[in-house]
Amino acid sequence: MSSRYCIVGATSNAIASSVESGVRSGDLTPGTKLPAVRALAAELDVSPGTVAAAYRTLRQRGVIETDGRRGTRVRPVPAVASRSRTRLPVPPGARNLSVGGPDPALLPSLRSTLRRIPPDPVTYGSGFGMRPEFAEQARRRLVADGVPADDLTVTSGCLAAVERVLDAHLSPGDLVAVEDPGWANLFDLLAAMGLPVVPVPVDDDGPDPEAVEQVLRRGARALVVTSRAQNPFGSQVSERRAARLRGILGRHREVLVVEDDHAAELAAEPLRPLAGATRHWALVRSASKPYGPDLRCAVLAGDSETIGRVEGRQAVVTRWVSTILQNLVVALWEDEAVAEQVARAGALYDERREALVAALARHGVAAHGRSGLNVWVPVADETAVCARLLEEGWVVAPGAAYRVRSSPGVRITVAGLPVEDADRLADAIAAATRPARGQYAV
C-alpha cells in the first residue's frame, strides 16, 4: 500500500469510505495492494469481520478485487472517479500499440457530412426514441447479417447498451459468463454492477462450447460473446462453432445472451449471430470503430421484452440519444464514398494484423489474431516482456487487465502499425520473449 495514505475508520462503512477517498485522490492507484484483513483490523483496533465487511462492500462496488496469492488490490479501472488515472508510459519516440482503437488516419472525415445534418432544433417533446431514418438503415443492415431486427433501439455507445441489457434482467450477485481473455471494460462494468464473472476460455473460433455448457449448468444467468474482432484475442466465431453454441443455448433458454459486434462495417468476416437462440437476447453494433470513437452511438437489437425494458429505463435517465448523432450516423451509412473508405480501412487492418502474425510465426512465436484490430501473444512474464519491448521503443498492453484465469499474454494493437514495420516489431517480440541471460528454460 502507498506510504502516503493510511486507511482509517471504526466501522465497515467508514473503512470502505476511506479506501474510496484514497482512490479518488490518487493516493491509492490501480493495482495498489491493500493490507490483509487481520493486519488492517489490528491496525485500526476493530474486528476482522468489520474489515472483511468493508472489503466485501468495496468489491461489490467494483473498487477492489481479491485474487488469491496476490491479495486484495485496487482494480485496474476502479468504479470510483480518480483525479490521477494511471496510464502506460509512452516515452518520446516510442510507438504506442496499446490503445486498442482504430487508426485516426483511417477514420472518415466528418466535416462534409456534418453540413448535411438537418438543422431543425429538437425540443424536449420531440426527441424521444430513434429517428425513423436511423431505424430503417439499422434494420436493413442487421437483417442482411442474419440478425432479427423487429425490435430496435439506440444507445450511447456499446458499453452503455450492454449495461442497460444486463440491468434489465440481472440482479447483483447473478453470475455472468465472459470470454477469457476478454474485454477489460466489460470486466470493470460487471464489477461495478456487482455481477460476478465466470470465465469461458476462447480460441481462434470463439468461446469453448464445453466450457459454455459447464458454466450454464453452474447457474450463469447471462453469456456475453464477441462474434468477431474479439478484444484482445482476435477470435472470430466460426460457422461450426456458432452452430454448437446455438445448440447449447437452445437447452438453456432462460439464459440472457448479449452479443457485441463492435467491429461492424470494418469486419470483412461474416457475422454468425446467436440471436434468438434463447428467450432473452441482445446484439449491439457500435459506430465507434468504423466511423469514430467520439460518435458514442450504437444500435441495439433484441427480443421485444429486453428492448422494451431498455427503452423504459432510458426514458427516465438519459431520455434520448442525440438526434444530431443519429442523423450523422445515417448520413455516414448512406454515403458510398464513406462506405468505400471504411472497407479500405478494414482491409488494411487485416493486412497489418496478418503481417504481424506471419512475422511472429517465422520466429516460432505463437500469436492469435484472426479478426479485428489486435493480436494476442502468449508470454511467460507480461511485465518483463512489456519492459523489454519498451526499451526497444514499443509500448504494448500487458494482458492482466484482460484475463480472469487464462494464461499471461500481451495485447498488441495493429491498427496503426504499417505492414513494413511488422518484421521489426516481430524481431523485438521474439527477443523479449526469450529467457534473459542467466535464466534457463525448464
Side-chain angles (χ1 to χ4, degrees):
M1 188 179 67
S2 171
S3 60
R4 296 178 298 159
Y5 191 81
C6 293
I7 299 174
V8 298
T11 66
S12 62
N13 285 338
I15 295 169
S17 178
S18 176
V19 172
E20 284 198 11
S21 295
V23 175
R24 287 196 304 273
S25 68
D27 290 325
L28 294 178
T29 59
T32 299
K33 187 174 181 179
L34 301 184
V37 168
R38 291 189 178 277
L40 184 57
E43 180 182 334
L44 300 179
D45 194 23
V46 298
S47 71
T50 298
V51 175
Y55 281 6
R56 182 167 57 251
T57 297
L58 290 165
R59 282 194 297 272
Q60 291 172 346
R61 292 176 183 170
V63 178
I64 66 173
E65 59 186 359
T66 301
D67 183 14
R69 296 178 183 177
R70 295 180 68 242
T72 299
R73 297 175 180 269
V74 178
R75 287 186 56 83
V77 183
V80 177
S82 172
R83 292 195 296 270
S84 59
R85 295 283 186 181
T86 299
R87 296 181 181 273
L88 290 171
V90 182
R95 299 284 296 278
N96 189 358
L97 306 179
S98 68
V99 294
D103 183 351
L106 299 181
L107 294 172
S109 172
L110 303 182
R111 184 168 301 172
S112 61
T113 309
L114 284 167
R115 297 193 184 102
R116 304 198 301 271
I117 301 301
D120 298 332
V122 173
T123 64
Y124 284 103
S126 60
F128 293 102
M130 286 186 296
R131 307 299 292 170
E133 300 83 0
F134 184 94
E136 179 184 354
Q137 283 283 343
R139 182 171 288 112
R140 180 177 62 80
R141 289 165 176 266
L142 289 170
V143 168
D145 283 333
V147 180
D150 292 334
D151 296 280
L152 301 176
T153 192
V154 59
T155 66
S156 297
C158 181
L159 203 60
V162 174
E163 189 272 338
R164 291 290 185 220
V165 171
L166 295 174
D167 186 63
H169 290 285
L170 305 185
S171 300
D174 287 341
L175 302 179
V176 178
V178 298
E179 298 161 328
D180 185 20
W183 189 21
N185 290 351
L186 173 65
F187 297 167
D188 294 322
L189 171 65
L190 295 173
M193 296 180 70
L195 300 171
V197 301
V198 184
V200 174
V202 295
D203 57 27
D204 292 333
D205 290 326
D208 178 78
E210 293 182 1
V212 170
E213 180 81 67
Q214 291 174 4
V215 300
L216 296 186
R217 287 179 178 175
R218 285 175 52 192
R221 294 284 313 281
L223 170 68
V224 183
V225 175
T226 309
S227 297
R228 53 188 179 181
Q230 197 264 8
N231 181 8
F233 201 79
S235 57
Q236 172 202 352
V237 174
S238 65
E239 186 174 1
R240 178 177 295 182
R241 182 64 55 83
R244 288 191 64 187
L245 292 173
R246 290 182 68 89
I248 292 168
L249 293 169
R251 297 191 292 272
H252 298 270
R253 291 277 299 166
E254 296 307 309
V255 169
L256 170 66
V257 176
V258 182
E259 294 180 86
D260 169 15
D261 187 34
H262 65 273
E265 290 83 5
L266 274 182
E269 305 87 359
L271 179 69
R272 298 184 175 96
L274 306 177
T278 56
R279 179 184 171 194
H280 295 304
W281 62 274
L283 182 144
V284 57
R285 175 173 291 179
S286 172
S288 294
K289 292 297 189 297
Y291 306 109
D294 197 35
L295 285 173
R296 315 313 305 151
C297 191
V299 59
L300 180 68
D303 65 276
S304 60
E305 187 174 346
T306 296
I307 298 302
R309 291 181 182 181
V310 169
E311 288 192 321
R313 176 58 65 90
Q314 288 195 150
V316 298
V317 182
T318 58
R319 305 194 73 183
W320 75 87
V321 174
S322 168
T323 58
I324 296 173
L325 290 179
Q326 293 187 51
N327 290 331
L328 177 56
V329 172
V330 169
L332 291 167
W333 281 342
E334 293 178 339
D335 192 320
E336 293 184 3
V338 169
E340 292 175 0
Q341 182 178 352
V342 170
R344 287 195 300 270
L348 189 54
Y349 291 144
D350 289 344
E351 290 179 14
R352 292 173 176 178
R353 188 186 65 253
E354 292 165 4
L356 179 59
V357 172
L360 289 169
R362 290 192 288 272
H363 284 281
V365 176
H368 302 274
R370 181 175 291 180
S371 173
L373 307 182
N374 302 293
V375 169
W376 179 263
V377 181
V379 300
D381 186 331
E382 295 174 359
T383 302
V385 169
C386 289
R388 293 178 70 178
L389 286 173
L390 185 59
E391 292 174 355
E392 298 299 320
W394 302 99
V395 180
V396 303
Y402 308 93
R403 299 186 291 109
V404 182
R405 294 178 188 162
S406 57
S407 300
V410 295
R411 190 195 71 174
I412 302 165
T413 301
V414 298
L417 179 72
V419 170
E420 56 268 25
D421 289 345
D423 284 328
R424 188 162 64 91
L425 175 57
D427 292 344
I429 294 172
T433 55
R434 296 190 194 105
R437 290 182 181 180
Q439 294 181 347
Y440 299 90
V442 295

